[in-house]
PDB file of all heavy atoms in Angstrom:
ATOM      1  N   LEU A  77     -19.096  -9.941  21.861  1.00 96.00           N
ATOM      2  CA  LEU A  77     -18.279 -10.136  23.061  1.00 96.00           C
ATOM      3  C   LEU A  77     -19.021 -10.916  24.140  1.00 96.00           C
ATOM      4  O   LEU A  77     -18.396 -11.471  25.048  1.00 96.00           O
ATOM      5  CB  LEU A  77     -17.819  -8.778  23.603  1.00 96.00           C
ATOM      6  CG  LEU A  77     -16.845  -7.991  22.707  1.00 96.00           C
ATOM      7  CD1 LEU A  77     -16.667  -6.574  23.231  1.00 96.00           C
ATOM      8  CD2 LEU A  77     -15.510  -8.694  22.625  1.00 96.00           C
ATOM      9  N   ASP A  78     -20.347 -10.967  24.031  1.00 95.00           N
ATOM     10  CA  ASP A  78     -21.133 -11.738  25.003  1.00 95.00           C
ATOM     11  C   ASP A  78     -20.842 -13.233  24.902  1.00 95.00           C
ATOM     12  O   ASP A  78     -21.167 -13.996  25.818  1.00 95.00           O
ATOM     13  CB  ASP A  78     -22.625 -11.495  24.792  1.00 95.00           C
ATOM     14  CG  ASP A  78     -23.027 -10.048  25.068  1.00 95.00           C
ATOM     15  OD1 ASP A  78     -22.290  -9.366  25.809  1.00 95.00           O
ATOM     16  OD2 ASP A  78     -24.063  -9.596  24.534  1.00 95.00           O
ATOM     17  N   LYS A  79     -20.247 -13.642  23.786  1.00 97.00           N
ATOM     18  CA  LYS A  79     -19.931 -15.059  23.588  1.00 97.00           C
ATOM     19  C   LYS A  79     -18.679 -15.487  24.354  1.00 97.00           C
ATOM     20  O   LYS A  79     -18.368 -16.680  24.405  1.00 97.00           O
ATOM     21  CB  LYS A  79     -19.762 -15.356  22.102  1.00 97.00           C
ATOM     22  CG  LYS A  79     -21.027 -15.130  21.278  1.00 97.00           C
ATOM     23  CD  LYS A  79     -20.794 -15.438  19.806  1.00 97.00           C
ATOM     24  CE  LYS A  79     -22.077 -15.216  19.004  1.00 97.00           C
ATOM     25  NZ  LYS A  79     -21.896 -15.563  17.575  1.00 97.00           N
ATOM     26  N   ILE A  80     -17.965 -14.529  24.906  1.00 97.00           N
ATOM     27  CA  ILE A  80     -16.746 -14.830  25.652  1.00 97.00           C
ATOM     28  C   ILE A  80     -17.098 -15.295  27.062  1.00 97.00           C
ATOM     29  O   ILE A  80     -17.779 -14.587  27.803  1.00 97.00           O
ATOM     30  CB  ILE A  80     -15.823 -13.601  25.725  1.00 97.00           C
ATOM     31  CG1 ILE A  80     -15.269 -13.272  24.338  1.00 97.00           C
ATOM     32  CG2 ILE A  80     -14.689 -13.833  26.715  1.00 97.00           C
ATOM     33  CD1 ILE A  80     -14.402 -12.029  24.293  1.00 97.00           C
ATOM     34  N   VAL A  81     -16.631 -16.477  27.421  1.00 97.00           N
ATOM     35  CA  VAL A  81     -16.821 -17.032  28.755  1.00 97.00           C
ATOM     36  C   VAL A  81     -15.441 -17.224  29.383  1.00 97.00           C
ATOM     37  O   VAL A  81     -14.610 -17.954  28.843  1.00 97.00           O
ATOM     38  CB  VAL A  81     -17.565 -18.382  28.716  1.00 97.00           C
ATOM     39  CG1 VAL A  81     -17.704 -18.953  30.123  1.00 97.00           C
ATOM     40  CG2 VAL A  81     -18.929 -18.220  28.049  1.00 97.00           C
ATOM     41  N   ALA A  82     -15.187 -16.543  30.484  1.00 97.00           N
ATOM     42  CA  ALA A  82     -13.882 -16.637  31.151  1.00 97.00           C
ATOM     43  C   ALA A  82     -13.848 -17.862  32.053  1.00 97.00           C
ATOM     44  O   ALA A  82     -14.789 -18.111  32.819  1.00 97.00           O
ATOM     45  CB  ALA A  82     -13.619 -15.380  31.965  1.00 97.00           C
ATOM     46  N   ILE A  83     -12.760 -18.621  31.940  1.00 97.00           N
ATOM     47  CA  ILE A  83     -12.542 -19.809  32.763  1.00 97.00           C
ATOM     48  C   ILE A  83     -11.330 -19.555  33.659  1.00 97.00           C
ATOM     49  O   ILE A  83     -10.230 -19.329  33.164  1.00 97.00           O
ATOM     50  CB  ILE A  83     -12.290 -21.063  31.892  1.00 97.00           C
ATOM     51  CG1 ILE A  83     -13.470 -21.316  30.944  1.00 97.00           C
ATOM     52  CG2 ILE A  83     -12.005 -22.276  32.771  1.00 97.00           C
ATOM     53  CD1 ILE A  83     -14.740 -21.747  31.627  1.00 97.00           C
ATOM     54  N   ALA A  84     -11.540 -19.563  34.965  1.00 96.00           N
ATOM     55  CA  ALA A  84     -10.428 -19.321  35.890  1.00 96.00           C
ATOM     56  C   ALA A  84      -9.475 -20.512  35.865  1.00 96.00           C
ATOM     57  O   ALA A  84      -9.896 -21.665  35.953  1.00 96.00           O
ATOM     58  CB  ALA A  84     -10.959 -19.106  37.301  1.00 96.00           C
ATOM     59  N   GLY A  85      -8.171 -20.215  35.735  1.00 95.00           N
ATOM     60  CA  GLY A  85      -7.189 -21.289  35.706  1.00 95.00           C
ATOM     61  C   GLY A  85      -5.782 -20.761  35.561  1.00 95.00           C
ATOM     62  O   GLY A  85      -5.553 -19.543  35.495  1.00 95.00           O
ATOM     63  N   ASP A  86      -4.835 -21.666  35.491  1.00 94.00           N
ATOM     64  CA  ASP A  86      -3.423 -21.299  35.433  1.00 94.00           C
ATOM     65  C   ASP A  86      -2.662 -22.445  34.775  1.00 94.00           C
ATOM     66  O   ASP A  86      -2.782 -23.595  35.206  1.00 94.00           O
ATOM     67  CB  ASP A  86      -2.885 -21.056  36.842  1.00 94.00           C
ATOM     68  CG  ASP A  86      -1.487 -20.464  36.867  1.00 94.00           C
ATOM     69  OD1 ASP A  86      -0.680 -20.815  35.986  1.00 94.00           O
ATOM     70  OD2 ASP A  86      -1.199 -19.657  37.764  1.00 94.00           O
ATOM     71  N   MET A  87      -1.891 -22.151  33.743  1.00 93.00           N
ATOM     72  CA  MET A  87      -1.173 -23.186  32.995  1.00 93.00           C
ATOM     73  C   MET A  87      -0.146 -23.920  33.847  1.00 93.00           C
ATOM     74  O   MET A  87       0.295 -25.019  33.486  1.00 93.00           O
ATOM     75  CB  MET A  87      -0.474 -22.571  31.780  1.00 93.00           C
ATOM     76  CG  MET A  87      -1.401 -22.095  30.681  1.00 93.00           C
ATOM     77  SD  MET A  87      -2.315 -23.413  29.846  1.00 93.00           S
ATOM     78  CE  MET A  87      -1.004 -24.197  28.892  1.00 93.00           C
ATOM     79  N   THR A  88       0.248 -23.352  34.968  1.00 90.00           N
ATOM     80  CA  THR A  88       1.288 -23.976  35.794  1.00 90.00           C
ATOM     81  C   THR A  88       0.715 -24.847  36.919  1.00 90.00           C
ATOM     82  O   THR A  88       1.479 -25.455  37.667  1.00 90.00           O
ATOM     83  CB  THR A  88       2.199 -22.898  36.414  1.00 90.00           C
ATOM     84  OG1 THR A  88       1.433 -22.099  37.331  1.00 90.00           O
ATOM     85  CG2 THR A  88       2.798 -22.003  35.345  1.00 90.00           C
ATOM     86  N   LEU A  89      -0.619 -24.892  37.048  1.00 92.00           N
ATOM     87  CA  LEU A  89      -1.239 -25.646  38.139  1.00 92.00           C
ATOM     88  C   LEU A  89      -1.729 -27.009  37.656  1.00 92.00           C
ATOM     89  O   LEU A  89      -2.021 -27.189  36.466  1.00 92.00           O
ATOM     90  CB  LEU A  89      -2.418 -24.858  38.710  1.00 92.00           C
ATOM     91  CG  LEU A  89      -2.084 -23.516  39.386  1.00 92.00           C
ATOM     92  CD1 LEU A  89      -3.381 -22.835  39.841  1.00 92.00           C
ATOM     93  CD2 LEU A  89      -1.151 -23.717  40.563  1.00 92.00           C
ATOM     94  N   PRO A  90      -1.827 -27.974  38.555  1.00 92.00           N
ATOM     95  CA  PRO A  90      -2.381 -29.287  38.184  1.00 92.00           C
ATOM     96  C   PRO A  90      -3.790 -29.135  37.620  1.00 92.00           C
ATOM     97  O   PRO A  90      -4.607 -28.392  38.161  1.00 92.00           O
ATOM     98  CB  PRO A  90      -2.398 -30.046  39.516  1.00 92.00           C
ATOM     99  CG  PRO A  90      -1.342 -29.384  40.356  1.00 92.00           C
ATOM    100  CD  PRO A  90      -1.375 -27.937  39.959  1.00 92.00           C
TER     101      PRO A  90
END
Side-chain angles (χ1 to χ4, degrees):
L77 294 170
D78 295 337
K79 297 180 180 182
I80 292 177
V81 178
I83 302 291
D86 189 325
M87 290 294 288
T88 65
L89 296 177

